[in-house]
DNA sequence: GTATTTCCTATTAAATCGATAGGATTAATA
DNA sequence: TATTAATCCTATCGATTTAATAGGAAATAC
């Protein structure tokens, strides 16, 4: 299941793309426009800022803005920041690899083989989709 | 994340394929061979039996066996029984569809579009993989 | 009839998720 | 400089889900 965090994060990002102007987009506006609990959204945008995807400005007329062009923000990056590993098991994760201890041998593991295929096919979608694609109608 | 339930279930199924004979395969043997807590495994195999994937025999020399040929058991079926929906959000699920209430319009939802692509690519893997594929070395 | 195995229900401990609370920090502007 | 408005930060909480365990009922081989 996609977490609410990720879902809200994606919606917020597209909202920012669609409402970008010379002043940053405020959390309150996004929360209202996308039906997201504001305090929850605050923490999500903070995560995206710390990951370098968003920039922010404090104080009056402050808010959030994109650090890169929408067409340069890949879903691989966004999903890893918000949702964590793209792979369904740590032992096939490219960015969050972990050996699984209940598995004597990865190569012969049936689950391993299947999950590599799932990872690759999902990865293929994410690396060919940018925030610009998401934001277009 | 893939649940332990699904992981154990897949391992158990391949164990049954690899150790099939004229007598059913016992839970204890699978648990030992695949390092799975036996009581937990019992409930998983019960789920697979109720779904029609496994058959069972009670009492001495009882155990579990496949109801179909390994090559006829698709991962789509197994995954839906063990893990539930293949889609990451209910609003793009083929077998477990649910409207999402925080979304005024599915067609224009950016998350929706992306998740349909992920669903289709994952589905493509599962429908082209059988238990026989998993069980071969 | 006894041992062995699956079947069934209930419970529990731990982890995760979604959300909230309350205030600290920063910046615009009157 | 005081006020207002926004992000920033930490902590916490309740609900849900997950992984696992417990205990015994039902069926079957011998």
């Amino acid at each position: 299941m996609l977490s609410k965090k990720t879902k809200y994060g994606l919606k917020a990002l597209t909202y920012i793309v669609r409402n970008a102007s010379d002043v940053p987009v405020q959390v309150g506006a996004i929360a209202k426009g996308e039906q997201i609990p504001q305090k929850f959204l605050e923490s999500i945008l903070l995560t995206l800022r710390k990951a370098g995807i968003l920039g922010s400005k404090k104080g009056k007329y402050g808010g959030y803005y994109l650090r890169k062009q929408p067409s340069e923000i890949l879903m691989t990056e966004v999903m890893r920041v918000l949702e964590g590993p793209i792979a369904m098991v740590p032992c096939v994760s490219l960015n969050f690899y972990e050996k699984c201890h209940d598995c004597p041998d990865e190569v012969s593991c049936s689950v391993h083989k299947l999950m590599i295929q799932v990872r690759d096919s999902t990865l293929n979608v994410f690396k060919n989709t940018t925030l610009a694609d998401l934001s277009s109608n």
Side-chain angles (χ1 to χ4, degrees), chain A residues 58-129:
Chain A
K58 282 189 179 179
K60 197 172 185 183
Y61 304 124
Y64 289 92
Y65 54 90
L66 291 177
R67 296 281 300 272
K68 291 187 278 188
Q69 292 299 313
S71 62
E72 285 168 346
I73 301 176
L74 292 176
M75 282 306 110
T76 44
E77 183 183 2
V78 178
M79 291 299 292
R80 283 186 177 123
V81 167
L82 292 174
E83 190 75 5
I86 288 166
M88 295 185 81
V89 284
C91 70
V92 304
S93 175
L94 298 174
N95 287 250
F96 302 81
Y97 176 83
E98 258 178 65
K99 193 172 185 322
C100 55
H101 55 289
D102 59 330
C103 218
D105 173 30
E106 274 184 10
V107 181
S108 69
C109 174
S110 57
V111 178
H112 189 83
K113 288 189 295 180
L114 180 64
M115 290 302 120
I116 282 184
Q117 287 189 70
V118 174
R119 179 203 67 193
D120 285 343
S121 76
T122 305
L123 215 42
N124 194 52
V125 171
F126 288 154
K127 77 165 182 252
N128 288 296
T129 307

